Each structure stands twice: as C-alpha cells, then as structure tokens.
Amino acid sequence: MAIIIGLTGENCAGKGTVAEYLVKKGFYYYSLSDVIREELAKEGKEITREALIAKGTELRRMFGADVLAKRIVAKLQPDRNYVIDSIRNPAEAKTLLATGRMTLVYVTASPENRFERMKARKREGDPKSFEAFKIIDQLELNSSDEFGQRLSEVFALATKKITNDSGFRELYDAIDAMLSEISAEFKIERPSWDVYFMNIAKVVASRSNCLKRHVAAVIVKDKRIISTGYNGTPRGIRNCNEGGCPRCSSFADSGTKLEECVCSHAEENAIVQAAYHGISIKGATLYSTFSPCLICTKMIINAGISEVIYNADYPLGEAPLKLLKEAGITVRKISLEK
C-alpha cells in the first residue's frame, strides 16, 4: 500500500527540507498551507505568515477544523506516495491519520538553531529578536482557539520524530532510517557506521607485515576517515616479516620481551600519521581491531580522542581500558567476525 508521510513541527525546524528530500525519492507533495494560499490568491490578498494563520483559522471556523486536510485527502490517489506538510491542528492530523496510510512525523530543532535559520532566510515580518521568536512559538504551540494552530496537540499524535540540529547528511540519514521502519519498500540494507568503519579497519589490517598479529586503527571525525594505521616497523626500517623486529622474529610468547619489539602499534601509527600530515584528531573516534595497549592508551588520551571502539580484546588490556574510562573517553566493543 502506498504511504503518506505527514509533517508537523515548529517554525524553521526543517519540514521543508524533509519534504524536498522525500520528493526526490518519488513522493508527491502537498501542503495544507497551499489550500490557504489558494484562498488568499482568490481574494487578491498578500500572502504573509500572519495572513496565512488568520485565513487558516477562518477556514477552519467556517467549514470545520479539519477542512484543509479534507481538501487534500480528496486529491490523493491510492497508488502514489505522498508527503503532506504544514499539519498544524489536531483535527487535521486525525483526518489524515484516518486514511490508514499516514505516518505523522514531528520534525524539531532547538529554538536557537531555528531562530538562526529564520534570520538567514531574511523574510519580512519575521521577529527580529529571540525573545519575540519564542513568544510566537508559544502562541502557535498552545492556541486557545480550537480552530487555530495547536501544534503541541499535533506533536502528541506523531509516532515518529526527527531532530534536525546537525547537518544535511545527518538529517537525510534520519529520514532514510525512518522510511525503512515504515515500509519495506524503503528498507536499506547497509551497515551501521560502526560496522562500516570497523570493516574498513579490518581491511587496513591486511597491510600489516607483523609476524605475530595483524592490527589496524582508523581515526574518524564527522563520519570521515582522517587517518589510518597498522602495526609494523617504523618508516625506513626493514619490515617485520623481513627480520626487522627481533621480538617477532624470535616468536616470543605474548607479553614477553616487549623491550625487544621495534614495531609501532596500529593506534600509534594512526595518531602519528595524523600529526605527520598536520591533521587535528581532537574529538575524533578511533576504531581498532583490538583494544589498545597501555602506551597507545596514553597517546589516545593525550591526543584528545573522545571515543574508542574496538573489535577484540588485546592481551593485558584491562588496565588500558580502565584508564580510558577514567579519562572520560567513551569505550565500546563491537564484535564482528574475526
């Protein structure tokens, strides 16, 4: 069955951006505000935010609180997916939900972000101060007029919520996730970010020439890889598998003869590579195929990395993990097939 995505939310929360993205995915677009615009155009009146609100209230009072929704429902075809914007009265939401096809989505953002977006669009009539903006917000949320805008009641009817306080990529990811939950038609079979970056780390590990263990680390910031590293001998030194590391060549038992090891660890190499190329890793996330050793842990802490995600436990790894947590660094283990 074709679906309908109904959009509600505060002013400048990003409903229009969500609608535009859905249109690109083949959804047909309607806005309840378009019904009001048609009425204002017939009367030859200027279309302003204040005029839209007043005319919307007038139409609801004359023809019923759900009049805008009823006019849109009359246009809907059963074999098309629709996105319907500007649902501002609970009666409108209930009429659209009664079609059995609609999922009501509440799009929201912080007042500060919404005010900045409003200022950026530079529309005449928009409030000039944050205080005035908040007053208008409250009026739209809780109108005492049953035929007016009663957004808080509409929000309560929503079964999905999208918070739009980051960039476009994060917003689009949230929309895709929401669609996949609603309909199998939009279900996207792709790995989570954690699985994605950890699998990349496993590929990086294949470059390791260590005789004992292949380990890799990937440093990520804003969902972008900024540095990678795998364990092996330092730059310009014979590779481990060519006899460059005495400890590995002697196949020493795990945890012994560490003073003979000349190999750099994966996390160490990833951090050093970032420094070598002048890239800040403060606030970044480090993915590693193994939990870090104590030396790498101290480097991770001092480099300002904020999160460590690892796949398998490193021998003697309890103390390093405890130190990371004490330093306030988020530590998570995700177990993938080794």
Side-chain angles (χ1 to χ4, degrees), residues 274-288:
Y276 185 86
H277 294 286
I279 301 171
S280 171
I281 57 175
K282 182 179 180 181
T285 296
L286 183 143
Y287 289 85
S288 180

PDB file of all heavy atoms in Angstrom, residues 274-288:
ATOM      1  N   ALA A 274      48.460  11.225  11.526  1.00  0.00           N
ATOM      2  CA  ALA A 274      47.679  12.461  11.555  1.00  0.00           C
ATOM      3  C   ALA A 274      48.584  13.651  11.893  1.00  0.00           C
ATOM      4  O   ALA A 274      48.507  14.711  11.251  1.00  0.00           O
ATOM      5  CB  ALA A 274      46.549  12.342  12.571  1.00  0.00           C
ATOM      6  N   ALA A 275      49.455  13.475  12.884  1.00  0.00           N
ATOM      7  CA  ALA A 275      50.377  14.544  13.266  1.00  0.00           C
ATOM      8  C   ALA A 275      51.343  14.858  12.134  1.00  0.00           C
ATOM      9  O   ALA A 275      51.653  16.031  11.857  1.00  0.00           O
ATOM     10  CB  ALA A 275      51.146  14.140  14.525  1.00  0.00           C
ATOM     11  N   TYR A 276      51.826  13.829  11.442  1.00  0.00           N
ATOM     12  CA  TYR A 276      52.777  13.983  10.328  1.00  0.00           C
ATOM     13  C   TYR A 276      52.197  14.866   9.224  1.00  0.00           C
ATOM     14  O   TYR A 276      52.894  15.660   8.596  1.00  0.00           O
ATOM     15  CB  TYR A 276      53.126  12.594   9.784  1.00  0.00           C
ATOM     16  CG  TYR A 276      54.184  12.563   8.712  1.00  0.00           C
ATOM     17  CD1 TYR A 276      55.540  12.521   9.044  1.00  0.00           C
ATOM     18  CD2 TYR A 276      53.836  12.551   7.356  1.00  0.00           C
ATOM     19  CE1 TYR A 276      56.515  12.474   8.062  1.00  0.00           C
ATOM     20  CE2 TYR A 276      54.801  12.513   6.367  1.00  0.00           C
ATOM     21  CZ  TYR A 276      56.142  12.469   6.724  1.00  0.00           C
ATOM     22  OH  TYR A 276      57.109  12.435   5.750  1.00  0.00           O
ATOM     23  N   HIS A 277      50.887  14.714   9.011  1.00  0.00           N
ATOM     24  CA  HIS A 277      50.227  15.488   7.954  1.00  0.00           C
ATOM     25  C   HIS A 277      49.501  16.724   8.484  1.00  0.00           C
ATOM     26  O   HIS A 277      48.766  17.384   7.745  1.00  0.00           O
ATOM     27  CB  HIS A 277      49.242  14.588   7.197  1.00  0.00           C
ATOM     28  CG  HIS A 277      49.908  13.495   6.420  1.00  0.00           C
ATOM     29  ND1 HIS A 277      50.595  13.711   5.255  1.00  0.00           N
ATOM     30  CD2 HIS A 277      50.020  12.160   6.669  1.00  0.00           C
ATOM     31  CE1 HIS A 277      51.084  12.572   4.788  1.00  0.00           C
ATOM     32  NE2 HIS A 277      50.750  11.609   5.639  1.00  0.00           N
ATOM     33  N   GLY A 278      49.678  17.024   9.769  1.00  0.00           N
ATOM     34  CA  GLY A 278      49.109  18.240  10.344  1.00  0.00           C
ATOM     35  C   GLY A 278      47.604  18.223  10.486  1.00  0.00           C
ATOM     36  O   GLY A 278      46.946  19.256  10.312  1.00  0.00           O
ATOM     37  N   ILE A 279      47.033  17.068  10.819  1.00  0.00           N
ATOM     38  CA  ILE A 279      45.580  16.942  10.933  1.00  0.00           C
ATOM     39  C   ILE A 279      45.199  16.796  12.402  1.00  0.00           C
ATOM     40  O   ILE A 279      45.706  15.919  13.098  1.00  0.00           O
ATOM     41  CB  ILE A 279      45.076  15.718  10.144  1.00  0.00           C
ATOM     42  CG1 ILE A 279      45.446  15.851   8.666  1.00  0.00           C
ATOM     43  CG2 ILE A 279      43.561  15.557  10.296  1.00  0.00           C
ATOM     44  CD1 ILE A 279      45.186  14.600   7.864  1.00  0.00           C
ATOM     45  N   SER A 280      44.295  17.647  12.869  1.00  0.00           N
ATOM     46  CA  SER A 280      43.838  17.568  14.253  1.00  0.00           C
ATOM     47  C   SER A 280      42.911  16.369  14.433  1.00  0.00           C
ATOM     48  O   SER A 280      42.023  16.122  13.613  1.00  0.00           O
ATOM     49  CB  SER A 280      43.103  18.851  14.649  1.00  0.00           C
ATOM     50  OG  SER A 280      42.485  18.697  15.917  1.00  0.00           O
ATOM     51  N   ILE A 281      43.131  15.631  15.524  1.00  0.00           N
ATOM     52  CA  ILE A 281      42.250  14.495  15.826  1.00  0.00           C
ATOM     53  C   ILE A 281      41.516  14.715  17.151  1.00  0.00           C
ATOM     54  O   ILE A 281      40.917  13.790  17.699  1.00  0.00           O
ATOM     55  CB  ILE A 281      43.031  13.166  15.848  1.00  0.00           C
ATOM     56  CG1 ILE A 281      44.180  13.214  16.854  1.00  0.00           C
ATOM     57  CG2 ILE A 281      43.552  12.827  14.458  1.00  0.00           C
ATOM     58  CD1 ILE A 281      44.903  11.884  16.982  1.00  0.00           C
ATOM     59  N   LYS A 282      41.545  15.940  17.650  1.00  0.00           N
ATOM     60  CA  LYS A 282      40.824  16.246  18.875  1.00  0.00           C
ATOM     61  C   LYS A 282      39.325  16.022  18.664  1.00  0.00           C
ATOM     62  O   LYS A 282      38.735  16.496  17.701  1.00  0.00           O
ATOM     63  CB  LYS A 282      41.076  17.697  19.283  1.00  0.00           C
ATOM     64  CG  LYS A 282      40.390  18.091  20.584  1.00  0.00           C
ATOM     65  CD  LYS A 282      40.694  19.539  20.939  1.00  0.00           C
ATOM     66  CE  LYS A 282      39.997  19.924  22.246  1.00  0.00           C
ATOM     67  NZ  LYS A 282      40.252  21.342  22.601  1.00  0.00           N
ATOM     68  N   GLY A 283      38.715  15.258  19.567  1.00  0.00           N
ATOM     69  CA  GLY A 283      37.287  14.980  19.464  1.00  0.00           C
ATOM     70  C   GLY A 283      36.931  13.871  18.500  1.00  0.00           C
ATOM     71  O   GLY A 283      35.747  13.605  18.268  1.00  0.00           O
ATOM     72  N   ALA A 284      37.939  13.198  17.940  1.00  0.00           N
ATOM     73  CA  ALA A 284      37.688  12.149  16.953  1.00  0.00           C
ATOM     74  C   ALA A 284      37.368  10.815  17.624  1.00  0.00           C
ATOM     75  O   ALA A 284      37.504  10.649  18.841  1.00  0.00           O
ATOM     76  CB  ALA A 284      38.900  11.997  16.036  1.00  0.00           C
ATOM     77  N   THR A 285      36.942   9.860  16.804  1.00  0.00           N
ATOM     78  CA  THR A 285      36.672   8.492  17.245  1.00  0.00           C
ATOM     79  C   THR A 285      37.724   7.571  16.641  1.00  0.00           C
ATOM     80  O   THR A 285      38.051   7.694  15.455  1.00  0.00           O
ATOM     81  CB  THR A 285      35.273   8.046  16.804  1.00  0.00           C
ATOM     82  OG1 THR A 285      34.296   8.860  17.446  1.00  0.00           O
ATOM     83  CG2 THR A 285      35.014   6.588  17.172  1.00  0.00           C
ATOM     84  N   LEU A 286      38.256   6.658  17.460  1.00  0.00           N
ATOM     85  CA  LEU A 286      39.243   5.697  16.977  1.00  0.00           C
ATOM     86  C   LEU A 286      38.623   4.304  16.948  1.00  0.00           C
ATOM     87  O   LEU A 286      38.106   3.826  17.962  1.00  0.00           O
ATOM     88  CB  LEU A 286      40.495   5.707  17.862  1.00  0.00           C
ATOM     89  CG  LEU A 286      41.645   4.795  17.422  1.00  0.00           C
ATOM     90  CD1 LEU A 286      42.993   5.458  17.680  1.00  0.00           C
ATOM     91  CD2 LEU A 286      41.607   3.432  18.120  1.00  0.00           C
ATOM     92  N   TYR A 287      38.640   3.681  15.774  1.00  0.00           N
ATOM     93  CA  TYR A 287      38.211   2.297  15.614  1.00  0.00           C
ATOM     94  C   TYR A 287      39.457   1.435  15.529  1.00  0.00           C
ATOM     95  O   TYR A 287      40.372   1.727  14.753  1.00  0.00           O
ATOM     96  CB  TYR A 287      37.390   2.127  14.328  1.00  0.00           C
ATOM     97  CG  TYR A 287      36.023   2.746  14.377  1.00  0.00           C
ATOM     98  CD1 TYR A 287      35.839   4.098  14.069  1.00  0.00           C
ATOM     99  CD2 TYR A 287      34.907   1.999  14.708  1.00  0.00           C
ATOM    100  CE1 TYR A 287      34.580   4.676  14.106  1.00  0.00           C
ATOM    101  CE2 TYR A 287      33.630   2.568  14.745  1.00  0.00           C
ATOM    102  CZ  TYR A 287      33.482   3.901  14.444  1.00  0.00           C
ATOM    103  OH  TYR A 287      32.238   4.482  14.484  1.00  0.00           O
ATOM    104  N   SER A 288      39.500   0.376  16.318  1.00  0.00           N
ATOM    105  CA  SER A 288      40.648  -0.519  16.308  1.00  0.00           C
ATOM    106  C   SER A 288      40.186  -1.968  16.307  1.00  0.00           C
ATOM    107  O   SER A 288      39.182  -2.314  16.940  1.00  0.00           O
ATOM    108  CB  SER A 288      41.538  -0.266  17.530  1.00  0.00           C
ATOM    109  OG  SER A 288      42.659  -1.130  17.516  1.00  0.00           O
TER     110      SER A 288
END
